[in-house]
Amino acid sequence: MSKAVSFDQIQQFKQDLAATPASGALARAVQNVGIYAASHGQFEDTDTPAVFSDEIETGKVTNQKKSGRCWMFSELNTMRHDTAKRFGIKDLEFSEAYLAFYDRLEKSNLFLERIIASRDRPLTDRVVADLIGYPNGDGGQFDNAAALAAKYGIVPKSAQPETFSSSQTSELNASLNLKLRKDASELRAAAADGASEDDLRAKKQEQLSTIYRILAYAYGEPVQQFDFEYRDKDKQFHADRNITPKEFYAKYVGWDLDEYVTLVSTPEPGKEYYQTYTLPSQNTVIEGRPVKMLNVPHDVFTKLAIKQIQGGDTIWFGNDVLADMDRKSGTLHGGLFNFSELFNADFSFDKGNRFATGQAEVSHAMTLTGVNLVDGKPTQWKVENSWGSENGRDGYFVADKQWFDDYVYEVVIKKSLLDDKTRAALATEPVTLPSWDNLA
């Protein structure tokens, strides 16, 4: 049989299409409203209260707008709810712009250091090509935000509010990536001309100064000291004068971030349960907290998430929000879009092979704030998103059990809640994953 598509084959395809039941009606539906609407399950009634047996009281949702800072919003959300409860501050929000400034600076430094380290490799090398392909973006992991908070502290949003560029990062991304690719080219050319490593780092210092200037224009320079004023739930006025970001973190958050660990659950072939993994390519704060995750079976993963919510603590979690999601209603239902029925073809794809082929990806981070248990088993989860109050139920989404099982890939859990086997597994020597791994 020929490798090319033949006209005889096309004729057979036409006959197969004509023989498909209701093909004409289905074609009109897809052409008129699109694949998602044509395959959408029942729309959720957002006027009906979503009830959860275990729920943590939280405030208004935040809004990352047109930026990829979900991982940062989610982590700061888990902190702000705890702080708001302890100090009686309504609808407290921490500054995402403050941490984002330093995140982009640290990522630029990591990129240039990796360019120096790989200067002898050709541009066609997979590691170098992957590096050059995306020098600096606004995505990240829980450990990245933890490393930034440990090094730079945090501030309330009132001390450093959002800007146009912090909320809509496409122009900044393009500018940074253009500049960093040019910087990479200059570093590689200097290395080829015999520049020493010290010479390359001196050049990197000059390059980072320009990056700092770009970021200062985009975000504003990070605040060094500020006044924090608020009224608590009893209407009492409080003021902290000339407080620094690290002092603010110590007083108003005070978490030991080393007590939080990222658990993943993937059955991908080659990834063992009770084994730790690390992503050096995403250790954005050099000499800071590295990205580290422990792979555990899904039942352990789920039980620990329930345990943390029942203990009164919200959960940062990484997921593939683009799968089986209706944004407007805030619906996260496994099998929400029935492509198999629409196209009369088998679209089922197990999680392990979805990871192995790149179909599964950690595309988003949100916060778990509640769970509904029936006979001790979860039926649905309350999800705080960072897409503003106009989506879902005032910004909160509802995920059913199937969606959680299929598309929740990471949860951040307190070490004190881990069972003995899981805690012991944290000591395993981490397996290094490449920058293109699906957990990246």
Side-chain angles (χ1 to χ4, degrees), residues 147-329:
L148 290 166
K151 184 172 181 177
Y152 297 107
I154 63 174
V155 305
K157 190 172 182 177
S158 57
Q160 184 146 359
E162 291 286 281
T163 68
F164 177 91
S165 293
S166 70
S167 298
Q168 302 185 57
T169 55
S170 60
E171 295 175 9
L172 176 61
N173 291 346
S175 300
L176 284 177
N177 287 328
L178 169 60
K179 183 65 173 65
L180 287 169
R181 288 189 179 107
K182 182 177 186 295
D183 291 344
S185 179
E186 291 175 353
L187 286 172
R188 288 174 62 87
D193 288 340
S196 68
E197 195 163 300
D198 285 344
D199 291 338
L200 295 176
R201 288 224 167 79
K203 191 170 187 63
K204 184 197 79 168
Q205 173 75 3
E206 296 173 4
Q207 294 169 339
L208 281 179
S209 181
T210 301
I211 296 297
Y212 185 96
R213 183 164 63 251
I214 293 170
L215 295 174
Y217 291 172
Y219 293 108
E221 278 201 273
V223 61
Q224 301 298 304
Q225 285 187 319
F226 58 94
D227 294 340
F228 180 51
E229 302 174 335
Y230 68 93
R231 286 192 182 275
D232 64 24
K233 58 183 176 58
D234 298 320
K235 308 300 182 183
Q236 295 297 310
F237 178 78
H238 302 265
D240 256 322
R241 305 296 182 191
N242 298 318
I243 191 170
T244 69
K246 294 194 75 169
E247 289 170 344
F248 181 85
Y249 178 85
K251 179 174 181 177
Y252 289 97
V253 180
W255 288 9
D256 179 359
L257 289 166
D258 288 339
E259 290 303 308
Y260 291 82
V261 297
T262 300
L263 303 181
V264 300
S265 185
T266 171
E268 179 183 355
K271 286 196 172 73
E272 302 296 328
Y273 289 136
Y274 297 105
Q275 172 62 55
T276 57
Y277 295 87
T278 187
L279 281 158
S281 63
Q282 294 195 353
N283 292 342
T284 52
V285 179
I286 294 177
E287 299 180 0
R289 176 180 175 132
V291 173
K292 182 180 177 181
M293 53 196 75
L294 172 65
N295 192 24
V296 297
H298 193 74
D299 62 329
V300 174
F301 184 89
T302 305
K303 287 176 183 177
L304 288 169
I306 293 170
K307 193 174 181 180
Q308 184 150 310
I309 288 174
Q310 290 180 325
D313 293 302
T314 58
I315 300 170
W316 185 104
F317 76 105
N319 59 88
D320 192 357
V321 75
L322 301 179
D324 287 337
M325 179 268 293
D326 182 86
R327 185 184 185 115
K328 188 63 180 175
S329 66

Side-chain angles (χ1 to χ4, degrees), residues 121-164:
R121 296 186 182 190
L123 287 172
T124 53
D125 177 87
R126 184 171 187 182
V127 171
V128 179
D130 186 71
L131 178 60
I132 293 289
Y134 197 55
N136 194 310
D138 51 359
Q141 304 264 9
F142 175 89
D143 288 326
N144 299 144
L148 290 166
K151 184 172 181 177
Y152 297 107
I154 63 174
V155 305
K157 190 172 182 177
S158 57
Q160 184 146 359
E162 291 286 281
T163 68
F164 177 91

Side-chain angles (χ1 to χ4, degrees), residues 90-109:
K90 185 179 180 181
D91 295 326
L92 173 67
E93 185 173 351
F94 296 138
S95 173
E96 297 86 8
Y98 172 81
L99 275 194
F101 178 101
Y102 286 119
D103 174 56
R104 307 309 289 272
L105 182 65
E106 292 281 0
K107 283 174 177 170
S108 298
N109 180 57

